[in-house]
Amino acid sequence: MDLMVEVSPRRVFANAHTYHINSISVNSDYETYMSADDLRINLWHLDITDRSFNIVDIKPANMEDLTEVITGAEFHPHHCNLFVYSSSKGTLRLCDMREAALCDKHSKLFEEPEDPCARSFFSEIISSVSDVKFSHSGRYLLTRDYLTAKVWDLNMESKPLETYQVLLSSFLFVSSVIMTGAYNNFFRMFDRNTKRDVTLEASRESSKPRAVLKPRRVCAAGGKRRKDDISVDSLDFTKKILHTAWHPNENIIAIAATNNLYIFQDKLNSEMH
């Protein structure tokens, strides 16, 4: 028989949020986790399901004064008192729960100065951070906006350490390699050491057992095309990868594409990690 997977809830944490939850992060103490929505971040104990503690609240007294929303949040992988959250204005705020019960004041603010000459009607839309993640070491922060993936050093708040040009807001993860989603069920990987990158596709054809993923190449409209190249005009913008995950110890990745979940394992001795 085909493998059938059924999911049943072990615990239900009720009365959590007024708005849609955009991120959940388990703390390194393995006792608590946090959940974030547009305006608030709550801290939960894994054994207490009926109440939580509010640790960030950016809701103004008058909603007309609202200028930004929370877009993502994550705990530091090693220090249980530290966490970061991102905003629709493209900023990152590192908070320390030891300083105050309500972390309205941040310890560090990571923000790239905007070029006034490059500002347009779409500036705020494309600069909104859709996701933020710590590196395994906890030394770096990784952010994703509409056009770029950025690597930030925790010791340098003024500008990102690295910037990678890529289209579509998406989840990302990193060790020495960054992975992020794109349109047409494509996902891209960037090797931070060699500066190489590769575009791959999550599809039913490539998900057959032991099937090898072939690199895909998108070419500009009207440009020279190779046999397997895909024109940018033929990309399906209704298909997009918004969530991915990388195994913490092994080279196994999970890709969520529409209503399908793909799991790929890297071949031994491959060039990309």
Side-chain angles (χ1 to χ4, degrees):
M1 295 176 61
D2 292 336
L3 176 64
M4 299 294 292
V5 179
E6 293 185 1
V7 179
S8 58
R10 295 281 298 274
R11 294 170 188 164
V12 177
F13 295 82
N15 303 318
H17 293 272
T18 305
Y19 306 96
H20 292 298
I21 296 172
N22 55 46
S23 55
I24 293 176
S25 178
V26 179
N27 202 346
S28 59
D29 62 11
Y30 297 109
E31 292 183 354
T32 58
Y33 76 94
M34 67 178 173
S35 55
D37 64 24
D38 288 352
L39 301 178
R40 294 188 176 97
I41 300 177
N42 293 333
L43 180 67
W44 298 80
H45 193 283
L46 290 171
D47 293 327
I48 303 174
T49 61
D50 60 348
R51 63 184 182 274
S52 62
F53 297 97
N54 180 229
I55 55 176
V56 172
D57 188 347
I58 66 169
K59 184 178 181 180
N62 184 354
M63 286 297 286
E64 293 182 357
D65 297 330
L66 184 67
T67 59
E68 62 181 333
V69 295
I70 298 169
T71 56
E74 186 175 73
F75 272 116
H76 191 281
H78 309 302
H79 302 300
C80 60
N81 55 291
L82 296 177
F83 69 92
V84 66
Y85 70 92
S86 58
S87 84
S88 58
K89 277 192 171 181
T91 60
L92 306 173
R93 291 176 174 86
L94 183 71
C95 300
D96 190 339
M97 292 190 295
R98 296 175 301 184
E99 295 179 355
L102 187 62
C103 300
D104 284 345
K105 295 183 179 180
H106 50 268
S107 298
K108 290 187 176 183
L109 176 67
F110 300 86
E111 184 176 18
E112 188 173 18
E114 184 183 34
D115 183 0
C117 299
R119 181 165 180 79
S120 69
F121 175 79
F122 301 101
S123 294
E124 188 167 331
I125 297 174
I126 63 177
S127 65
S128 175
V129 176
S130 59
D131 207 355
V132 58
K133 287 289 174 287
F134 279 100
S135 64
H136 289 314
S137 65
R139 170 69 184 274
Y140 303 105
L141 282 170
L142 302 110
T143 61
R144 188 70 161 84
D145 56 41
Y146 194 77
L147 296 176
T148 62
K150 297 175 181 177
V151 180
W152 298 78
D153 191 318
L154 284 187
N155 298 321
M156 187 170 68
E157 302 171 56
S158 59
K159 62 180 181 179
L161 193 65
E162 302 164 16
T163 300
Y164 301 90
Q165 301 295 325
V166 61
L167 186 63
L168 178 64
S169 303
S170 175
F171 182 95
L172 58 85
F173 203 85
V174 71
S175 50
S176 61
V177 177
I178 297 173
M179 176 174 63
T180 185
Y183 288 114
N184 208 73
N185 282 0
F186 286 170
F187 60 99
R188 298 188 65 186
M189 292 186 178
F190 301 88
D191 191 313
R192 297 180 59 207
N193 296 326
T194 65
K195 305 303 179 183
R196 293 171 55 244
D197 67 275
V198 62
T199 300
L200 303 169
E201 181 181 8
S203 64
R204 290 185 176 273
E205 292 73 19
S206 61
S207 63
K208 296 176 182 178
R210 302 199 176 278
V212 178
L213 291 178
K214 297 180 180 179
R216 307 305 300 267
R217 182 174 177 269
V218 179
C219 64
K224 288 186 177 180
R225 293 182 59 182
R226 301 174 187 171
K227 180 180 178 182
D228 296 326
D229 284 358
I230 296 177
S231 170
V232 68
D233 292 333
S234 62
L235 292 178
D236 188 345
F237 292 98
T238 64
K239 295 180 180 179
K240 48 192 174 184
I241 294 174
L242 295 176
H243 301 282
T244 69
W246 204 314
H247 192 285
N249 303 317
E250 301 179 31
N251 286 325
I252 300 174
I253 59 175
I255 308 290
T258 318
N259 60 341
N260 297 309
L261 176 64
Y262 299 93
I263 298 178
F264 301 105
Q265 183 172 14
D266 193 18
K267 292 176 64 179
L268 294 176
N269 302 320
S270 65
E271 295 181 353
M272 290 292 290
H273 294 289

